[in-house]
Amino acid sequence: GDILRACTACKMEMEAPTWQLLAGGIGRPKTKRMMYVVDLRPFEEVMEALGSNRMDPEGRPVVLVVERKRQ
């Protein structure tokens, strides 16, 4: 009966110094970790966000924000 409200997720982004962008470069990939709000998101999307934590280069544990059901 508890509700998952948020979880950590990882996303690959291109990171480039300004000088490199000015020279026409595209940068280098970097994994960014963030909190992902799961309210009203489709189940498949939430599972994908949870699974993306495998990309964390530091191997940190997944963080879940759970709302406990009142009894």
Coordinates of all heavy atoms in Angstrom, one line a residue:
G1 N 0.8 -1.2 0.0 CA 0.0 0.0 0.0 C 0.8 1.3 0.0 O 0.3 2.4 -0.1
D2 N 2.2 1.2 0.2 CA 3.0 2.4 0.2 C 3.1 2.9 -1.3 O 2.9 2.2 -2.2 CB 4.4 2.0 0.7 CG 4.4 1.6 2.1 OD1 3.4 1.8 2.8 OD2 5.4 1.1 2.6
I3 N 3.4 4.2 -1.4 CA 3.5 4.8 -2.7 C 4.9 5.3 -3.0 O 5.5 6.0 -2.2 CB 2.5 6.0 -2.8 CG1 1.1 5.5 -2.5 CG2 2.6 6.7 -4.1 CD1 0.1 6.7 -2.3
L4 N 5.5 4.9 -4.2 CA 6.8 5.4 -4.6 C 6.6 6.8 -5.2 O 5.8 7.0 -6.1 CB 7.4 4.5 -5.6 CG 8.7 4.9 -6.2 CD1 9.8 4.9 -5.1 CD2 9.1 4.0 -7.3
R5 N 7.3 7.8 -4.6 CA 7.2 9.2 -5.0 C 8.3 9.6 -5.9 O 8.1 10.5 -6.8 CB 7.1 10.1 -3.8 CG 5.8 9.9 -3.1 CD 4.6 10.4 -3.9 NE 3.4 10.3 -3.1 CZ 2.2 10.6 -3.6 NH1 2.1 10.9 -4.9 NH2 1.1 10.5 -2.9
A6 N 9.5 9.1 -5.7 CA 10.7 9.5 -6.4 C 11.8 8.5 -6.3 O 11.8 7.7 -5.4 CB 11.2 10.9 -6.0
C7 N 12.7 8.5 -7.2 CA 13.9 7.6 -7.2 C 15.1 8.3 -7.9 O 14.9 9.2 -8.6 CB 13.6 6.3 -7.8 SG 13.3 6.3 -9.6
T8 N 16.2 7.8 -7.6 CA 17.4 8.3 -8.4 C 17.3 7.7 -9.8 O 16.8 6.6 -10.0 CB 18.7 7.9 -7.7 OG1 18.7 6.5 -7.4 CG2 18.9 8.7 -6.4
A9 N 17.9 8.4 -10.7 CA 18.0 7.9 -12.1 C 19.3 8.5 -12.7 O 19.7 9.6 -12.3 CB 16.8 8.4 -12.9
C10 N 19.8 7.9 -13.7 CA 21.0 8.3 -14.3 C 20.7 8.6 -15.8 O 19.9 8.0 -16.4 CB 22.1 7.3 -14.3 SG 22.8 7.1 -12.6
K11 N 21.4 9.7 -16.3 CA 21.2 10.1 -17.7 C 22.5 10.4 -18.3 O 23.3 11.1 -17.7 CB 20.3 11.3 -17.7 CG 19.9 11.9 -19.0 CD 19.0 13.1 -18.9 CE 18.7 13.7 -20.2 NZ 17.9 14.9 -20.0
M12 N 22.7 10.0 -19.5 CA 24.0 10.3 -20.2 C 23.8 11.7 -21.0 O 22.8 11.9 -21.7 CB 24.3 9.2 -21.3 CG 25.6 9.3 -21.9 SD 26.9 8.9 -20.7 CE 26.8 7.2 -20.7
E13 N 24.7 12.6 -20.7 CA 24.7 13.9 -21.3 C 26.1 14.2 -21.9 O 27.1 13.7 -21.5 CB 24.3 15.0 -20.3 CG 22.9 14.9 -19.9 CD 22.6 16.1 -18.9 OE1 23.5 16.8 -18.5 OE2 21.4 16.3 -18.7
M14 N 26.1 15.0 -22.9 CA 27.3 15.5 -23.5 C 27.8 16.7 -22.7 O 27.1 17.6 -22.5 CB 27.2 15.8 -25.0 CG 26.8 14.6 -25.9 SD 28.0 13.3 -25.7 CE 29.3 13.9 -26.7
E15 N 29.1 16.6 -22.3 CA 29.7 17.7 -21.6 C 30.9 18.3 -22.4 O 31.7 17.5 -22.9 CB 30.2 17.2 -20.2 CG 30.9 18.2 -19.4 CD 31.5 17.7 -18.1 OE1 32.5 16.9 -18.2 OE2 30.9 18.0 -17.1
A16 N 30.9 19.6 -22.6 CA 31.9 20.2 -23.4 C 32.3 21.5 -22.8 O 31.4 22.3 -22.5 CB 31.5 20.3 -24.8
P17 N 33.6 21.8 -22.7 CA 34.0 23.1 -22.3 C 33.6 24.2 -23.4 O 33.5 23.8 -24.5 CB 35.5 23.0 -22.2 CG 35.9 21.6 -22.2 CD 34.7 20.9 -22.9
T18 N 33.4 25.4 -22.9 CA 33.0 26.5 -23.9 C 33.9 26.6 -25.0 O 33.5 26.7 -26.2 CB 32.8 27.8 -23.1 OG1 31.9 27.6 -22.0 CG2 32.3 28.9 -24.0
W19 N 35.2 26.6 -24.8 CA 36.2 26.7 -25.9 C 36.0 25.6 -26.9 O 36.2 25.9 -28.1 CB 37.6 26.8 -25.4 CG 38.1 25.4 -24.8 CD1 38.0 25.1 -23.5 CD2 38.6 24.3 -25.5 NE1 38.5 23.8 -23.3 CE2 38.9 23.3 -24.5 CE3 38.9 24.1 -26.8 CZ2 39.4 22.1 -24.9 CZ3 39.5 22.8 -27.1 CH2 39.7 21.9 -26.2
Q20 N 35.6 24.4 -26.5 CA 35.5 23.3 -27.4 C 34.2 23.5 -28.3 O 34.2 23.2 -29.4 CB 35.4 22.0 -26.7 CG 35.5 20.8 -27.6 CD 35.6 19.5 -26.8 OE1 35.2 19.4 -25.6 NE2 36.1 18.4 -27.4
L21 N 33.2 24.0 -27.7 CA 31.9 24.3 -28.4 C 32.2 25.4 -29.5 O 31.7 25.3 -30.6 CB 30.8 24.7 -27.5 CG 30.3 23.6 -26.5 CD1 29.3 24.2 -25.6 CD2 29.6 22.5 -27.4
L22 N 32.9 26.4 -29.1 CA 33.2 27.5 -30.0 C 34.1 27.0 -31.2 O 34.0 27.5 -32.3 CB 34.0 28.6 -29.3 CG 33.1 29.4 -28.3 CD1 34.0 30.4 -27.5 CD2 32.0 30.1 -28.9
A23 N 34.9 25.9 -31.0 CA 35.7 25.4 -32.0 C 35.0 24.3 -32.8 O 35.5 23.7 -33.7 CB 37.0 24.8 -31.4
G24 N 33.7 24.1 -32.5 CA 32.9 23.1 -33.3 C 32.9 21.7 -32.7 O 32.5 20.8 -33.4
G25 N 33.4 21.5 -31.5 CA 33.5 20.2 -30.9 C 32.1 19.8 -30.4 O 31.2 20.6 -30.2
I26 N 32.0 18.5 -30.1 CA 30.7 18.0 -29.6 C 30.8 17.6 -28.1 O 29.8 17.4 -27.5 CB 30.2 16.8 -30.4 CG1 31.2 15.7 -30.4 CG2 29.9 17.2 -31.8 CD1 30.6 14.4 -30.9
G27 N 32.0 17.6 -27.6 CA 32.1 17.2 -26.1 C 32.3 15.8 -25.9 O 32.6 15.0 -26.8
R28 N 32.2 15.4 -24.6 CA 32.4 14.0 -24.2 C 31.2 13.6 -23.4 O 30.6 14.4 -22.6 CB 33.7 13.8 -23.5 CG 33.8 14.6 -22.2 CD 35.2 14.4 -21.6 NE 35.3 15.2 -20.4 CZ 35.7 16.5 -20.4 NH1 36.0 17.1 -21.5 NH2 35.8 17.1 -19.2
P29 N 30.8 12.3 -23.4 CA 29.7 11.8 -22.6 C 30.0 11.8 -21.1 O 31.1 11.5 -20.7 CB 29.4 10.4 -23.1 CG 30.7 10.0 -23.7 CD 31.4 11.2 -24.2
K30 N 29.0 12.2 -20.3 CA 29.1 12.1 -18.9 C 27.8 11.7 -18.3 O 26.7 12.1 -18.7 CB 29.5 13.5 -18.3 CG 29.6 13.6 -16.8 CD 30.1 14.9 -16.3 CE 30.3 14.8 -14.8 NZ 30.7 16.0 -14.2
T31 N 27.9 10.8 -17.3 CA 26.7 10.3 -16.6 C 26.3 11.3 -15.5 O 27.1 11.6 -14.7 CB 26.9 8.9 -16.1 OG1 27.3 8.0 -17.1 CG2 25.6 8.3 -15.5
K32 N 25.0 11.7 -15.6 CA 24.5 12.6 -14.5 C 23.4 11.9 -13.7 O 22.6 11.2 -14.3 CB 23.9 13.8 -15.3 CG 23.5 14.9 -14.4 CD 23.1 16.1 -15.2 CE 23.2 17.4 -14.4 NZ 22.9 18.6 -15.2
R33 N 23.5 12.0 -12.4 CA 22.6 11.3 -11.5 C 21.6 12.4 -10.9 O 22.1 13.5 -10.6 CB 23.3 10.7 -10.4 CG 22.4 9.8 -9.5 CD 23.3 9.0 -8.6 NE 22.6 7.9 -7.9 CZ 22.6 7.7 -6.6 NH1 23.4 8.5 -5.8 NH2 21.9 6.8 -6.0
M34 N 20.3 12.1 -10.9 CA 19.3 13.0 -10.4 C 18.2 12.3 -9.7 O 18.1 11.1 -9.7 CB 18.8 13.8 -11.6 CG 18.1 12.9 -12.6 SD 17.8 13.7 -14.1 CE 18.1 12.3 -15.2
M35 N 17.4 13.1 -9.0 CA 16.1 12.5 -8.4 C 15.1 12.7 -9.5 O 14.9 13.7 -10.2 CB 15.7 13.3 -7.2 CG 16.5 13.0 -6.0 SD 16.6 11.3 -5.5 CE 15.0 11.0 -4.9
Y36 N 14.3 11.6 -9.7 CA 13.3 11.5 -10.7 C 11.9 11.3 -10.1 O 11.7 10.4 -9.3 CB 13.6 10.3 -11.6 CG 12.6 10.0 -12.7 CD1 12.6 10.7 -13.9 CD2 11.7 9.0 -12.5 CE1 11.6 10.5 -14.9 CE2 10.7 8.7 -13.5 CZ 10.7 9.4 -14.7 OH 9.8 9.2 -15.7
V37 N 11.0 12.3 -10.3 CA 9.7 12.2 -9.7 C 8.8 11.3 -10.5 O 8.7 11.4 -11.7 CB 9.1 13.6 -9.6 CG1 7.7 13.6 -9.0 CG2 9.9 14.6 -8.8
V38 N 8.3 10.3 -9.8 CA 7.5 9.2 -10.5 C 6.0 9.4 -10.5 O 5.3 8.6 -11.1 CB 7.9 7.8 -10.0 CG1 9.4 7.6 -10.2 CG2 7.5 7.6 -8.6
D39 N 5.5 10.4 -9.8 CA 4.1 10.7 -9.7 C 3.5 10.7 -11.1 O 3.9 11.5 -12.0 CB 3.7 11.9 -9.0 CG 4.1 11.8 -7.5 OD1 4.2 10.7 -7.0 OD2 4.2 12.9 -6.8
L40 N 2.4 10.0 -11.4 CA 1.6 9.9 -12.6 C 2.4 9.5 -13.8 O 2.0 9.8 -15.0 CB 1.0 11.3 -12.9 CG 0.0 11.8 -11.7 CD1 -0.5 13.2 -12.0 CD2 -1.1 10.8 -11.5
R41 N 3.6 8.9 -13.7 CA 4.4 8.4 -14.8 C 4.0 7.0 -15.1 O 3.6 6.2 -14.2 CB 5.9 8.4 -14.4 CG 6.4 9.8 -14.1 CD 6.6 10.6 -15.4 NE 7.2 11.9 -15.0 CZ 7.5 12.8 -15.9 NH1 7.4 12.6 -17.1 NH2 8.1 13.9 -15.5
P42 N 4.1 6.6 -16.4 CA 3.7 5.2 -16.7 C 4.7 4.2 -16.0 O 5.9 4.5 -15.8 CB 3.9 5.1 -18.2 CG 3.9 6.5 -18.7 CD 4.4 7.4 -17.5
F43 N 4.2 3.0 -15.7 CA 5.0 2.0 -15.0 C 6.3 1.7 -15.7 O 7.4 1.6 -15.1 CB 4.2 0.7 -14.9 CG 5.0 -0.4 -14.2 CD1 5.1 -0.4 -12.8 CD2 5.5 -1.4 -15.0 CE1 5.8 -1.5 -12.2 CE2 6.2 -2.5 -14.4 CZ 6.4 -2.5 -13.0
E44 N 6.3 1.6 -17.1 CA 7.5 1.2 -17.9 C 8.5 2.3 -17.7 O 9.7 2.1 -17.7 CB 7.1 1.0 -19.3 CG 6.2 -0.2 -19.6 CD 4.7 0.1 -19.3 OE1 4.3 1.2 -19.1 OE2 4.0 -0.9 -19.2
E45 N 8.1 3.6 -17.7 CA 9.0 4.7 -17.6 C 9.7 4.7 -16.2 O 10.9 5.0 -16.1 CB 8.2 6.0 -17.8 CG 9.1 7.2 -18.0 CD 8.3 8.4 -18.4 OE1 7.5 8.4 -19.3 OE2 8.4 9.4 -17.6
V46 N 8.9 4.4 -15.2 CA 9.5 4.3 -13.8 C 10.5 3.2 -13.7 O 11.6 3.3 -13.2 CB 8.4 4.1 -12.8 CG1 9.0 3.9 -11.4 CG2 7.4 5.3 -12.8
M47 N 10.2 2.0 -14.3 CA 11.1 0.9 -14.3 C 12.4 1.2 -15.1 O 13.5 0.9 -14.7 CB 10.5 -0.3 -14.9 CG 9.3 -0.9 -14.0 SD 9.9 -1.3 -12.3 CE 10.9 -2.6 -12.6
E48 N 12.3 2.0 -16.2 CA 13.4 2.4 -16.9 C 14.3 3.4 -16.1 O 15.6 3.3 -16.1 CB 13.0 3.1 -18.2 CG 14.1 3.4 -19.2 CD 13.6 4.0 -20.5 OE1 12.5 3.5 -21.0 OE2 14.2 4.9 -21.0
A49 N 13.7 4.3 -15.4 CA 14.4 5.2 -14.5 C 15.2 4.4 -13.4 O 16.4 4.7 -13.1 CB 13.5 6.2 -13.9
L50 N 14.5 3.4 -12.8 CA 15.2 2.6 -11.8 C 16.4 1.8 -12.4 O 17.4 1.8 -11.8 CB 14.2 1.6 -11.2 CG 13.2 2.3 -10.2 CD1 12.1 1.3 -9.9 CD2 13.9 2.7 -8.9
G51 N 16.2 1.3 -13.6 CA 17.2 0.5 -14.2 C 18.4 1.3 -14.6 O 19.5 0.8 -14.8
S52 N 18.1 2.6 -14.9 CA 19.2 3.5 -15.4 C 20.3 3.7 -14.3 O 21.4 4.1 -14.6 CB 18.7 4.9 -15.8 OG 18.3 5.6 -14.6
N53 N 20.0 3.3 -13.1 CA 21.0 3.4 -12.0 C 22.2 2.5 -12.2 O 23.3 2.7 -11.6 CB 20.4 3.2 -10.6 CG 19.5 4.3 -10.2 OD1 20.1 5.3 -9.7 ND2 18.2 4.3 -10.4
R54 N 22.1 1.5 -13.1 CA 23.2 0.7 -13.4 C 24.3 1.5 -14.1 O 25.5 1.0 -14.2 CB 22.7 -0.5 -14.4 CG 22.0 -1.5 -13.6 CD 21.7 -2.7 -14.5 NE 20.2 -2.9 -14.4 CZ 19.4 -2.9 -15.4 NH1 19.7 -2.7 -16.6 NH2 18.1 -3.1 -15.2
M55 N 24.0 2.6 -14.7 CA 25.0 3.4 -15.4 C 25.8 4.3 -14.5 O 26.8 4.9 -14.9 CB 24.3 4.4 -16.4 CG 23.6 3.7 -17.6 SD 23.0 4.8 -18.9 CE 22.2 6.1 -18.0
D56 N 25.5 4.3 -13.2 CA 26.2 5.2 -12.3 C 27.6 4.7 -12.2 O 27.9 3.6 -11.7 CB 25.5 5.1 -10.9 CG 26.1 6.1 -9.9 OD1 27.0 6.9 -10.3 OD2 25.7 6.1 -8.7
P57 N 28.6 5.6 -12.6 CA 30.0 5.1 -12.6 C 30.5 4.9 -11.2 O 31.5 4.2 -11.0 CB 30.7 6.3 -13.3 CG 29.8 7.5 -13.2 CD 28.4 6.9 -13.1
E58 N 29.9 5.5 -10.2 CA 30.4 5.3 -8.8 C 29.7 4.1 -8.1 O 30.0 3.8 -7.0 CB 30.1 6.6 -8.0 CG 30.9 7.8 -8.5 CD 30.6 9.0 -7.8 OE1 30.4 8.9 -6.5 OE2 30.6 10.1 -8.4
G59 N 28.7 3.5 -8.8 CA 28.0 2.3 -8.2 C 27.3 2.6 -7.0 O 27.1 1.7 -6.1
R60 N 26.7 3.8 -6.8 CA 26.0 4.2 -5.6 C 24.7 3.4 -5.5 O 24.1 3.1 -6.6 CB 25.8 5.7 -5.5 CG 27.1 6.4 -5.4 CD 26.8 7.9 -5.6 NE 26.6 8.2 -7.0 CZ 26.6 9.4 -7.5 NH1 26.8 10.5 -6.7 NH2 26.4 9.6 -8.8
P61 N 24.1 3.2 -4.3 CA 22.8 2.5 -4.2 C 21.7 3.4 -4.7 O 21.8 4.6 -4.7 CB 22.7 2.3 -2.7 CG 23.7 3.2 -2.0 CD 24.7 3.5 -3.0
V62 N 20.6 2.8 -5.1 CA 19.4 3.5 -5.6 C 18.8 4.1 -4.3 O 18.7 3.5 -3.3 CB 18.4 2.5 -6.2 CG1 17.2 3.2 -6.6 CG2 19.1 1.9 -7.4
V63 N 18.3 5.3 -4.5 CA 17.6 6.0 -3.4 C 16.1 6.1 -3.8 O 15.8 6.5 -4.9 CB 18.1 7.4 -3.2 CG1 17.3 8.2 -2.1 CG2 19.6 7.4 -2.8
L64 N 15.2 5.6 -2.9 CA 13.8 5.7 -3.1 C 13.1 6.6 -2.1 O 13.5 6.6 -0.9 CB 13.1 4.3 -3.0 CG 13.7 3.2 -3.8 CD1 13.0 1.9 -3.4 CD2 13.5 3.5 -5.3
V65 N 12.2 7.4 -2.6 CA 11.3 8.2 -1.7 C 10.0 7.6 -1.7 O 9.3 7.5 -2.7 CB 11.2 9.7 -2.2 CG1 10.3 10.5 -1.3 CG2 12.6 10.3 -2.3
V66 N 9.6 7.1 -0.5 CA 8.3 6.3 -0.4 C 7.4 7.0 0.6 O 7.9 7.4 1.7 CB 8.6 4.9 0.0 CG1 7.4 4.1 0.2 CG2 9.6 4.2 -0.9
E67 N 6.1 7.1 0.2 CA 5.1 7.6 1.2 C 4.4 6.4 1.8 O 3.9 5.5 1.1 CB 4.1 8.5 0.4 CG 3.1 9.1 1.3 CD 2.1 9.9 0.5 OE1 2.5 10.6 -0.5 OE2 0.9 9.9 0.9
R68 N 4.4 6.3 3.1 CA 3.8 5.2 3.8 C 2.3 5.4 3.8 O 1.8 6.5 4.1 CB 4.4 5.1 5.2 CG 3.8 4.0 6.0 CD 4.7 3.2 6.8 NE 6.0 3.0 6.4 CZ 6.5 1.7 6.2 NH1 5.7 0.7 6.3 NH2 7.7 1.5 5.9
K69 N 1.6 4.3 3.5 CA 0.1 4.4 3.6 C -0.3 4.5 5.0 O 0.1 3.8 5.9 CB -0.4 3.1 3.0 CG -1.9 3.1 2.9 CD -2.5 1.8 2.3 CE -4.0 1.8 2.3 NZ -4.5 0.5 1.8
R70 N -1.3 5.4 5.3 CA -1.8 5.5 6.6 C -2.8 4.4 6.9 O -3.5 4.0 6.0 CB -2.6 6.9 6.8 CG -1.6 8.0 6.7 CD -2.4 9.3 6.8 NE -1.5 10.4 6.6 CZ -1.4 11.5 7.4 NH1 -2.0 11.5 8.6 NH2 -0.5 12.4 7.2
Q71 N -2.8 4.0 8.1 CA -3.7 2.9 8.5 C -4.9 3.3 9.3 O -4.9 4.2 10.1 CB -3.0 1.8 9.2 CG -2.0 1.2 8.2 CD -1.2 0.0 8.8 OE1 -1.5 -0.4 9.9 NE2 -0.2 -0.5 8.2

